[in-house]
Amino acid sequence: MNNTDSTKFNGLLNRICTAFISNRLQVFTEEEEEKLSSSLAITQDQTKLLIKTVIHIIQQAAHGMVRPALLKDHLLAAGISQDKVDIFIEQWSTNAKAIVDTLRQQCLSEKQLEDVAWDLHLKSASSTLARQAQPIGHLQLTLGNGTSKGSSTSEKVLMQFNHEQLYAFYDQLEQIQSHLDSLR
């Protein structure tokens, strides 16, 4: 990173920030990576590593909502040269809000809950022991890829709980809800 031309590095960083903002998964095509490698006079593996490193730094800064001054300190402490740090700070100051807003809209999971269904069954060893029947709860979760409800890519997950298991599951859901409420 330190050995790359500052003007080209600025263009690279700008392109990566633009890809984040427009929510593109792939920043460069293979052909563009080849051209970038020759332009920067580094190997393709070094180019991929440079791109991944810059993406990682931006992701970490966005997830931590790091202020430019703190980012500058971290980058300098990591051994990045002053001119590259200045370029990072300039790009981060310009694009941070848009990048963070875009990342907030993204889902961390590729599966989304679409529907929940449940029913109750009584399990007994025989019909004469009906009093000793154990209630069994079935919970069916329909998971999708988040594009459209009821799409063909939906997956159904069936879970079976006895009373104690269902209560423990409920407690875990309550803890999750409590943590989510505390983040507001």
Side-chain angles (χ1 to χ4, degrees):
M1 185 179 309
N2 288 338
N3 297 332
T4 58
D5 177 70
S6 293
T7 306
K8 293 176 182 175
F9 184 74
N10 188 37
L12 169 75
L13 196 51
N14 186 48
R15 174 80 178 262
I16 292 172
C17 288
T18 303
F20 264 103
I21 293 168
S22 61
N23 209 8
R24 284 194 321 246
L25 297 176
Q26 186 175 5
V27 180
F28 296 99
T29 64
E30 283 292 323
E31 184 179 317
E32 289 172 330
E33 279 185 17
E34 289 174 17
K35 289 178 182 177
L36 184 60
S37 294
S38 62
S39 172
L40 296 173
I42 57 177
T43 67
Q44 280 190 290
D45 288 339
Q46 290 171 325
T47 302
K48 288 180 184 201
L49 181 61
L50 176 63
I51 293 168
K52 286 181 181 180
T53 301
V54 171
I55 288 171
H56 179 75
I57 291 170
I58 292 171
Q59 284 176 329
Q60 293 302 306
H63 287 294
M65 293 192 295
V66 177
R67 301 235 180 254
L70 185 59
L71 179 61
K72 181 177 183 175
D73 293 343
H74 285 299
L75 293 175
L76 288 171
I80 298 175
S81 64
Q82 183 67 49
D83 62 326
K84 302 305 184 292
V85 170
D86 291 341
I87 293 168
F88 254 109
I89 298 309
E90 178 186 329
Q91 288 289 339
W92 181 244
S93 297
T94 304
N95 297 304
K97 182 178 179 346
I99 290 171
V100 169
D101 288 345
T102 301
L103 288 176
R104 278 186 181 154
Q105 294 172 4
Q106 289 179 347
C107 179
L108 297 177
S109 173
E110 56 186 66
K111 300 281 184 182
Q112 294 292 308
L113 182 63
E114 290 182 351
D115 192 30
V116 177
W118 64 274
D119 60 7
L120 182 65
H121 295 275
L122 292 176
K123 180 180 175 184
S124 64
S126 70
S127 59
T128 59
L129 299 174
R131 285 191 211 183
Q132 295 178 351
Q134 296 177 346
I136 301 292
H138 288 174
L139 184 64
Q140 179 178 306
L141 306 176
T142 304
L143 306 176
N145 60 6
T147 54
S148 62
K149 192 170 183 173
S151 65
S152 61
T153 58
S154 292
E155 174 186 349
K156 295 188 185 304
V157 177
L158 183 63
M159 296 184 289
Q160 180 175 305
F161 298 100
N162 64 25
H163 183 266
E164 292 80 24
Q165 292 169 328
L166 184 59
Y167 190 76
F169 183 64
Y170 173 77
D171 278 344
Q172 288 179 340
L173 290 175
E174 283 292 315
Q175 289 175 6
I176 293 168
Q177 183 64 51
S178 174
H179 287 291
L180 290 174
D181 289 344
S182 70
L183 293 174
R184 289 185 182 177

